Amino acid sequence: MREATTVLKTAVSGSVSGLPRAFWWLFASTLVNRLGAFVSTFLALYLTVERGYSSTYAGALAALYGLGGVIASLGSGVMADRIGRRPTLFLSHLLTAPSVAALGFVEHPAAIAGATFVVGMTSNASRPAVQAMLTDIVAPKDRERAFALNYWAFNLGFAVSTTLAGLVAEHGFRTLFLAEAVMMAVCAVLVFLRVAETRPAKRPGTVAGEAAEVSLSSVLRNGRFMTLVLLSFLVTTLLMQGSVALPVTMGRSGLSSADFGVAIAANGVLVVLLQIPVTRLIEHRNPAWLLALASLFAGYGCALTALADSVAAYALTVAVWTIGEIINSPIQMGLVARMSPEQGRGRYQGVYVTSVVSASLTAPLVSGYAIDRFGSDALWLSCAVVGTLVAAAYVLCLRQAPERTALPDAP
């Protein structure tokens, strides 16, 4: 028992040691942010049960929320480079608080749609700033570990918030909206008081007193980077099937929403338990092969769903694609950090975040159409094909490990 405790202490110490104090304040802000992330999870339930709107309207608003996130990811990436990471992060949390509160009070369908779009923008605007900050303050050799720890905080906070949201909602959905508004305000105060600016000092440009900048168009013209963004979008689309197509498939098999809750819980449990030790195991290894392996786990984990016939079997498929998620996340974000020039980290992270947000917007549309047109088995088996193609593309694209992107001239 004593030996096991010693091993555990050593593993934990190795996972958290060597990271700067500034990282832990950022870690805390991520945890607080996700602990209060109630509304996005329960928005569809609120619209259909509390407000009495149709599923079609709820789906349209979910897409509108995602569209707001795509626009915000690009805009906040530019802001993080121009005005700084800290003000961008602070404004994101500060503006989310009243936006979420307003969403709980507006009643006209157009007003609800407008408020949903704004919440989608403000709540997603923090991501590029956080990831740019992590790149700024953490040494290159520790970045994958730092991204993994922050992702762990993200998922831990989300797991707790979904549980708390169910309890808070018993007192009325409006209480849920107000509770998230309070948590976002707390997060804004935390950022204002404890999170310092990390934007690197500007480099001298070709004209005295000016700084060389990375434009958004130059990021979009970086072919290798945009290929990685596309591959990230495809992998995330595969992973999104767990929350999009899986409940539909289980429902058609005669299983209940409670059964789905049990199966999908394997995702959160495994991320919380395995994210840090798995990252320690794969740290500093070839990113091409790791991302290829993650893609295979994601694709074939989803494909196994076509063979599942019980709650335990569905939970097993969730466990398989979750391993792919655990491997993919820190490696992918570390790779983006490595490819981002100092003066363009916000923009690079912003474009990368759009791949994640766009997948959450696209996945429901693609899976719904595929299930209605070809059947759920065809959808799940096609995931194996996509996973295989993405794995091969990662190996080809990353045959040589990318060095940090050279600082291009602003057009």
Side-chain angles (χ1 to χ4, degrees):
M1 182 67 178
R2 183 176 298 176
E3 291 181 358
T5 303
T6 302
V7 171
L8 180 60
K9 287 182 178 179
T10 302
V12 172
S13 176
S15 298
V16 303
S17 63
L19 295 173
R21 182 182 181 86
F23 165 80
W24 293 110
W25 286 116
L26 201 58
F27 174 93
S29 73
T30 297
L31 184 59
V32 172
N33 177 274
R34 299 313 297 172
L35 284 172
F38 303 138
V39 171
S40 60
T41 306
F42 283 78
L43 182 59
L45 192 62
Y46 165 74
L47 292 171
T48 55
V49 175
E50 182 78 1
R51 292 295 188 182
Y53 291 110
S54 67
S55 298
T56 300
Y57 179 77
L61 259 63
L64 197 59
Y65 179 94
L67 178 61
V70 171
I71 295 172
S73 297
L74 295 174
S76 63
V78 174
M79 287 177 61
D81 283 337
R82 286 192 173 179
I83 69 172
R85 284 67 154 129
R86 181 173 177 263
T88 302
L89 186 58
F90 173 72
L91 286 172
S92 171
H93 297 321
L94 185 66
L95 295 176
T96 299
S99 301
V100 168
L103 182 57
F105 285 87
V106 294
E107 297 184 357
H108 192 279
I112 294 175
T116 300
F117 177 73
V118 172
V119 171
M121 291 186 65
T122 58
S123 61
N124 284 286
S126 62
R127 292 189 181 189
V130 169
Q131 292 176 197
M133 274 184 149
L134 288 175
T135 306
D136 294 336
I137 63 180
V138 178
K141 65 183 181 64
D142 295 323
R143 280 178 185 157
E144 289 176 2
R145 180 160 54 97
F147 280 121
L149 283 166
N150 197 66
Y151 191 67
W152 181 83
F154 186 95
N155 282 279
L156 177 62
F158 179 77
V160 174
S161 72
T162 53
T163 303
L164 292 177
L167 300 175
V168 175
E170 292 181 358
H171 300 283
F173 279 94
R174 184 166 291 173
T175 305
L176 198 67
F177 286 84
L178 294 175
E180 176 163 344
V182 170
M183 291 296 287
M184 294 305 103
V186 170
C187 200
V189 171
L190 176 62
V191 170
F192 182 79
L193 294 178
R194 294 297 182 181
V195 176
E197 180 57 68
T198 65
R199 183 175 54 160
K202 292 183 178 181
R203 297 181 178 183
T206 55
V207 179
E210 293 183 353
E213 292 185 356
V214 178
S215 67
L216 188 59
S217 63
S218 67
V219 180
L220 299 177
R221 291 198 304 269
N222 186 330
R224 194 182 196 190
F225 176 75
M226 292 307 297
T227 299
L228 292 176
V229 170
L230 173 62
L231 297 178
S232 173
F233 166 78
L234 293 173
V235 172
T236 307
T237 301
L238 291 176
L239 297 173
M240 283 293 299
Q241 300 309 315
S243 59
V244 174
L246 182 60
V248 175
T249 300
M250 293 182 67
R252 291 188 173 188
S253 299
L255 298 173
S256 67
S257 57
D259 293 327
F260 167 70
V262 171
I264 199 63
N267 174 255
V269 171
L270 288 176
V271 169
V272 171
L273 292 179
L274 298 182
Q275 182 68 72
I276 295 174
V278 168
T279 301
R280 292 286 290 171
L281 181 65
I282 64 178
E283 205 173 11
H284 308 310
R285 299 182 186 275
N286 189 313
W289 293 106
L290 288 174
L291 290 172
L293 180 64
S295 302
L296 293 175
F297 269 109
Y300 284 86
C302 289
L304 288 173
T305 308
L307 305 176
D309 58 0
S310 67
V311 175
Y314 282 115
L316 179 61
T317 67
V318 171
V320 174
W321 59 253
T322 296
I323 297 299
E325 178 185 357
I326 289 171
I327 296 172
N328 176 270
S329 178
I331 299 300
Q332 184 78 54
M333 287 188 284
L335 199 59
V336 173
R338 188 188 307 181
M339 297 180 71
S340 306
E342 286 185 355
Q343 304 301 326
R345 284 172 178 164
R347 289 173 172 86
Y348 270 79
Q349 293 291 354
V351 172
Y352 165 69
V353 169
T354 61
S355 69
V356 179
V357 181
S358 297
S360 67
L361 176 63
T362 306
L365 302 176
V366 172
S367 60
Y369 175 81
I371 290 174
D372 289 342
R373 182 71 183 271
F374 305 107
S376 58
D377 285 354
L379 169 69
W380 294 118
L381 294 175
S382 69
C383 289
V385 176
V386 174
T388 302
L389 294 175
V390 171
Y394 269 126
V395 174
L396 291 174
C397 182
L398 300 175
R399 282 174 294 183
Q400 293 181 340
E403 299 298 331
R404 194 187 71 178
T405 303
L407 188 68
D409 294 330

